Amino acid sequence: MIENQVKKTLRKTGVNKKEKILVAVSGGKDSAVTAYLLSKFGYNIRGFHIDLKIGDYSEKCKNAVVELCRQLGISLIIYDIKKEMGSGMCYLRSAVQSRKKTEIKNCAICGVIKKWIFNKEARKLKADKIATGHNLDDESQTFLMNLFKGSPELSANIGVITENTSNKKFIPRIKPLFYIAEEDIRKYSRQKKLPVVYEKCPCALDSYRIQVREFTEKLSEKEKVNVVRNFERLREKFRKKESEINYCRICGEPSRNQVCRKCGLMQ
Ligand code: AMP
Ligand code: ZN
């Protein structure tokens, strides 16, 4: 049962009900179910939505999160990417792709920029944690993609909670749906009639992830759980020492290198 599993996962993250949690709500089913369950279990949550300005799609997503937060009775912060960063995600992304002249996938660029925004804004809002809707399928795919590319260490931070206790500017991220299969989330979201956009982002054209997804779709839920659980057991081996605290010399955000991934893409 999804509710019990999510409760267990939340216990594993160590998050408590007094902490301020900012739920990153995209308009999709995963983050809607995350917000719904955290609210149902009595956590102290607010919604945070990035309006990516991807035409009609973003409008539908924004309307869905406004309605979701209204139904849950929680406040919602909307970050307008055009106002804050000068352009919509489509433009930011193509600018990076043409400048870098390498084939960086759409979702990878969007993902780096979103994470950078989450951390910066969550800190401004004095949130203790950020919650995202990442599910079992996302996590097992990401881990296998890194493994197939020969870089399992890129998954070193995978887990129900990503934190860096020695870096005060890093807001820990939790993934309450870490062990829940996408199909179960879809069913639950439909059953609860959550206001959700079920269509995929028109820019989600990451062919490698699609290929890996075709592979993971053939796995049973138990096998997908095994992928992430076994990786959790190996993870410590890939972890760098936490003492390596760095801040990006351009934006000041936490970074493993002199320049963070977002500034590395955008400069
Ligand atoms: P994705 O990177 O699109 O697979 O989304 C992973 C998670 O990031 C979602 O489950 C949400 O929690 C969060 N997220 C994605 N897009 C947005 C957005 N536009 N605004 C707020 N949160 C988002
Ligand atoms: Zn930076």
Side-chain angles (χ1 to χ4, degrees):
M1 166 110 182
I2 160 166
E3 294 187 7
N4 287 338
Q5 177 59 63
V6 173
K7 275 188 192 161
K8 251 199 226 164
T9 306
L10 285 165
R11 272 200 296 278
K12 196 167 162 185
T13 66
V15 68
N16 72 54
K17 293 192 177 168
K18 286 201 191 106
E19 287 182 284
K20 287 188 207 141
I21 307 177
L22 204 60
V23 188
V25 278
S26 62
K29 62 186 186 321
D30 306 292
S31 51
V33 169
T34 305
Y36 175 86
L37 288 175
L38 285 170
S39 158
K40 179 168 179 170
F41 300 154
Y43 285 88
N44 178 7
I45 63 167
R46 299 173 82 178
F48 180 80
H49 176 69
I50 306 173
D51 183 356
L52 296 165
K53 300 285 176 193
I54 306 178
D56 226 27
Y57 174 74
S58 287
E59 274 303 300
K60 284 190 216 163
C61 290
K62 189 169 69 181
N63 294 339
V65 290
V66 167
E67 178 56 18
L68 175 76
C69 293
R70 192 194 64 74
Q71 286 183 17
L72 298 180
I74 61 170
S75 63
L76 169 68
I77 294 109
I78 298 180
Y79 179 99
D80 181 319
I81 203 166
K82 237 184 210 162
K83 278 199 201 132
E84 305 281 347
M85 298 185 78
S87 347
M89 183 53 78
C90 301
Y91 181 83
L92 291 176
R93 205 193 54 227
S94 9
V96 169
Q97 283 162 332
S98 60
R99 228 176 310 120
K100 294 288 167 190
K101 297 196 176 57
T102 51
E103 212 211 311
I104 313 176
K105 302 282 193 275
N106 291 356
C107 301
I109 299 172
C110 185
V112 166
I113 296 177
K114 280 189 295 203
K115 260 193 214 164
W116 182 86
I117 297 172
F118 292 156
N119 195 69
K120 197 161 176 283
E121 297 304 307
R123 204 175 54 244
K124 265 199 216 162
L125 293 161
K126 299 197 179 346
D128 299 301
K129 300 278 183 314
I130 299 163
T132 60
H134 290 94
N135 62 39
L136 177 64
D137 291 71
D138 298 328
E139 296 301 313
S140 53
Q141 277 157 26
T142 304
F143 169 61
L144 289 173
M145 278 164 73
N146 289 335
L147 186 68
F148 293 156
K149 284 182 181 163
S151 319
E153 72 282 2
L154 292 179
S155 297
N157 283 326
I158 212 175
V160 296
I161 179 160
T162 307
E163 57 188 341
N164 186 335
T165 45
S166 51
N167 194 329
K168 296 267 179 298
K169 287 179 93 175
F170 184 83
I171 310 295
R173 291 191 295 267
I174 60 168
K175 296 172 181 171
L177 305 184
F178 191 85
Y179 295 111
I180 313 290
E182 181 166 13
E183 198 40 46
D184 294 336
I185 297 168
R186 188 176 292 113
K187 276 189 208 143
Y188 188 83
S189 159
R190 287 198 195 281
Q191 186 199 331
K192 299 290 173 194
K193 299 193 172 50
L194 298 180
V196 158
V197 176
Y198 284 97
E199 69 196 71
K200 285 241 174 305
C201 169
C203 303
L205 305 166
D206 182 344
S207 54
Y208 192 56
R209 184 176 282 273
I210 293 168
Q211 226 177 310
V212 176
R213 187 185 303 141
E214 280 166 11
F215 170 70
T216 53
E217 270 167 5
K218 295 192 188 92
L219 301 178
S220 66
E221 188 174 328
K222 187 156 173 269
E223 286 167 319
K224 283 186 253 188
V225 170
N226 278 342
V227 170
V228 292
R229 280 209 201 278
N230 284 317
F231 182 69
E232 284 183 305
R233 289 167 51 196
L234 297 170
R235 195 175 51 187
E236 293 308 318
K237 293 201 170 53
F238 297 119
R239 284 216 167 142
K240 286 194 192 167
K241 284 198 206 82
E242 269 204 359
S243 57
E244 294 170 51
I245 319 168
N246 275 314
Y247 296 103
C248 171
R249 67 175 159 77
I250 299 174
C251 70
E253 283 296 298
S255 167
R256 257 178 250 147
N257 302 306
Q258 292 258 321
V259 172
C260 76
R261 291 179 71 199
K262 174 258 176 194
C263 291
L265 287 176
M266 312 268 294
Q267 72 182 352

